[in-house]
Amino acid sequence: EAIELITNSQKDNSYLNQYEGIWVLAEQREGELLNVSIELIGEARKLAKKKDANVTAVLVGNNLSEQAKTLINRGADKVFLLENKELENYRTEPYTQVISDLIKEEKPEIVLLGATNNGRDLGPRLAARLDTGLTADCTELDIDSEEEILLQTRPAFGGNLMATIVCPEHRPQMATVRPGVMMELEEDSNRTGEIIKIEPEIEEKNIITKIKDIIKEPKASINLESANIIVAGGRGVGCPENFSLIEELAQTVDGEVGASRAVVDEGWIQKEHQVGQTGKTVKPTLYIACGISGAIQHKAGMQNSDYIIAINKDPEAPIFDICDYGIVGDLKEIIPELIDEIA
Ligand code: FAD
């Protein structure tokens, strides 16, 4: 063990200097860029400032020149556009092959992906192929001012603490990042950048999976991530029938209805309304939390809201620690009064 420690401490890490630049693996579905990719470019720009680095996006698919230009307009300095008919829709094997080949050749220092279904599938595959680490589901990124390495923060131990993870000895440093957390940049059509088109050959062994059909989920009736106002109800609402109070308040303020996991688990409302660590991450202008205690897993999904109003009958409820305005009392009395006042 001692010998191993000495060997590690004397290990030549100079190869790390060959890696530079921040990459975002942009994601598209049927030619439409996902918001998380735009958010990641915004975040990469922020990190690039601290490292004096360039931001490169990688876009994989077919016939995506317009989308590559959009990535430049949103903050990328350069886009690698990998196009081939076989790459039109996401498949693990060919995407892993073409992206890992490009990373091996170009040696980026940091690679970011969205923590989407595809990103969660692709990220670990790439990391294993490149013999490096990956931090999944990050909610915060930064650059260490002394070591200049990527600080990757994510909830750990069921959300009870935030862990900051580093990858000191391998490159690239890789992270998947939750959608809806990072700030995107405004589109600037005057931005210029380089688009490098590549038509990679796909190895036969990597196209053994064929897509027979794509069956779309019915479109969610709500879009919490882009809502400006959210009125969310928790177990304090008391029973499913009382949820009409939350809906009425949401209607009055022209907002969407959110919920804690407790009420989703109770079956009072569908999962698509759940906010938090295992639900949606939201950042509306106004979040009104009604009868929600403010568990760390709930806060993880809404604490970046601009203004938070909490209604809770328990003055000690943790939600009051993060709210801008707190109302202590019974929501069944307060909400009707609020509706009367606003309407
Ligand atoms: P409670 O904690 O029971 O709080 C109810 C609140 O209502 C209390 O503060 C009470 O004072 C108040 N109240 C009661 N009656 C009234 C009234 N008449 N008027 C006003 N206030 C009243 N939770 C999430 O929300 N989202 C997640 O994504 C999520 N993911 C999780 C992931 C993991 C791995 C784990 C372990 C847990 C997760 N949870 C999540 C669950 C979380 O820990 C809490 O259990 C949950 O958020 C509690 O929901 P609640 O605040 O509605 O209920």
Side-chain angles (χ1 to χ4, degrees):
E1 216 177 64
I3 291 169
E4 200 175 56
L5 277 176
I6 292 165
T7 327
N8 274 342
S9 67
Q10 288 174 345
K11 212 154 101 183
D12 177 14
N13 281 350
S14 58
Y15 77 97
L16 298 183
N17 301 331
Q18 299 168 13
Y19 290 78
E20 56 182 13
I22 303 177
W23 279 24
V24 172
L25 303 187
E27 201 176 315
Q28 54 86 18
R29 302 259 167 91
E30 295 184 332
E32 207 170 305
L33 288 170
L34 262 55
N35 259 355
V36 65
S37 306
I38 311 289
E39 292 162 8
L40 283 181
I41 289 177
E43 180 65 12
R45 277 256 72 92
K46 198 188 87 191
L47 300 173
K49 231 185 201 168
K50 297 193 173 179
K51 279 194 74 69
D52 196 18
N54 280 340
V55 174
T56 299
V58 178
L59 184 59
V60 184
N62 202 22
N63 297 326
L64 298 170
S65 299
E66 273 305 305
Q67 293 80 345
K69 180 75 185 83
T70 305
L71 292 170
I72 299 277
N73 294 348
R74 290 307 196 117
D77 299 307
K78 182 153 88 175
V79 179
F80 283 111
L81 179 54
L82 307 185
E83 293 189 303
N84 181 318
K85 187 95 191 60
E86 293 292 350
L87 297 169
E88 191 158 333
N89 293 306
Y90 176 77
R91 277 179 297 166
T92 311
E93 297 89 355
Y95 271 54
T96 306
Q97 182 213 308
V98 299
I99 297 173
S100 62
D101 284 352
L102 191 67
I103 291 177
K104 281 181 193 158
E105 207 173 294
E106 298 290 329
K107 298 188 170 45
E109 192 182 357
I110 293 172
V111 175
L112 307 175
L113 304 84
T116 58
N117 287 345
N118 292 358
R120 285 175 170 149
D121 179 61
L122 180 64
R125 258 319 151 118
L126 286 173
R129 197 67 68 89
L130 298 162
D131 193 22
T132 187
L134 171 95
T135 307
D137 245 9
C138 292
T139 52
E140 206 183 314
L141 298 173
D142 204 353
I143 302 289
D144 180 84
S145 54
E146 275 174 26
E147 308 248 347
E148 290 216 355
I149 55 176
L150 183 66
L151 303 172
Q152 309 162 48
T153 302
R154 54 153 296 159
F157 293 104
N160 287 308
L161 58 86
M162 299 301 283
T164 298
I165 294 164
V166 291
C167 178
E169 290 186 0
H170 293 82
R171 292 292 177 271
Q173 302 163 86
M174 291 185 64
T176 62
V177 178
R178 279 191 141 212
V181 181
M182 303 304 181
M183 296 297 286
E184 58 186 46
L185 297 173
E186 288 287 313
E187 182 151 11
D188 175 0
S189 51
N190 294 324
R191 278 197 97 250
T192 51
E194 193 184 359
I195 297 176
I196 301 172
K197 283 194 186 192
I198 301 173
E199 201 178 321
E201 293 268 323
I202 317 284
E203 291 172 41
E204 205 55 41
K205 67 171 190 272
N206 287 329
I207 40 178
I208 46 176
T209 314
K210 306 270 180 226
I211 296 173
K212 292 189 82 172
D213 197 3
I214 296 176
I215 299 158
K216 291 191 189 153
E217 265 188 53
K219 225 175 162 36
S221 48
I222 60 156
N223 189 354
L224 279 184
E225 283 105 329
S226 58
N228 196 29
I229 300 179
I230 295 175
V231 181
R235 207 183 336 241
V237 169
C239 61
E241 293 72 41
N242 286 353
F243 237 87
S244 58
L245 271 179
I246 305 290
E247 282 156 6
E248 213 181 314
L249 179 57
Q251 237 171 35
T252 313
V253 295
D254 201 14
E256 295 281 6
V257 173
S260 72
R261 176 164 160 181
V263 297
V264 172
D265 287 351
E266 293 280 358
W268 297 357
I269 193 164
Q270 298 96 320
K271 166 91 178 153
E272 62 181 359
H273 293 268
Q274 185 184 318
V275 173
Q277 188 189 321
T278 42
K280 307 264 171 66
T281 304
V282 299
K283 47 178 184 206
T285 311
L286 176 62
Y287 190 90
I288 309 179
C290 312
I292 292 178
S293 58
I296 189 161
Q297 297 89 354
H298 188 80
K299 288 197 272 193
M302 47 66 78
Q303 61 199 359
N304 288 336
S305 307
D306 291 346
Y307 289 96
I308 298 170
I309 298 178
I311 306 170
N312 198 303
K313 67 177 187 187
D314 174 8
E316 303 294 323
I319 192 78
F320 287 131
D321 298 340
I322 59 156
C323 74
D324 298 279
Y325 299 96
I327 307 171
V328 179
D330 186 340
L331 64 86
K332 292 191 283 307
E333 290 163 17
I334 292 162
I335 293 181
E337 277 184 41
L338 267 179
I339 293 171
D340 274 355
E341 198 63 38
I342 300 166

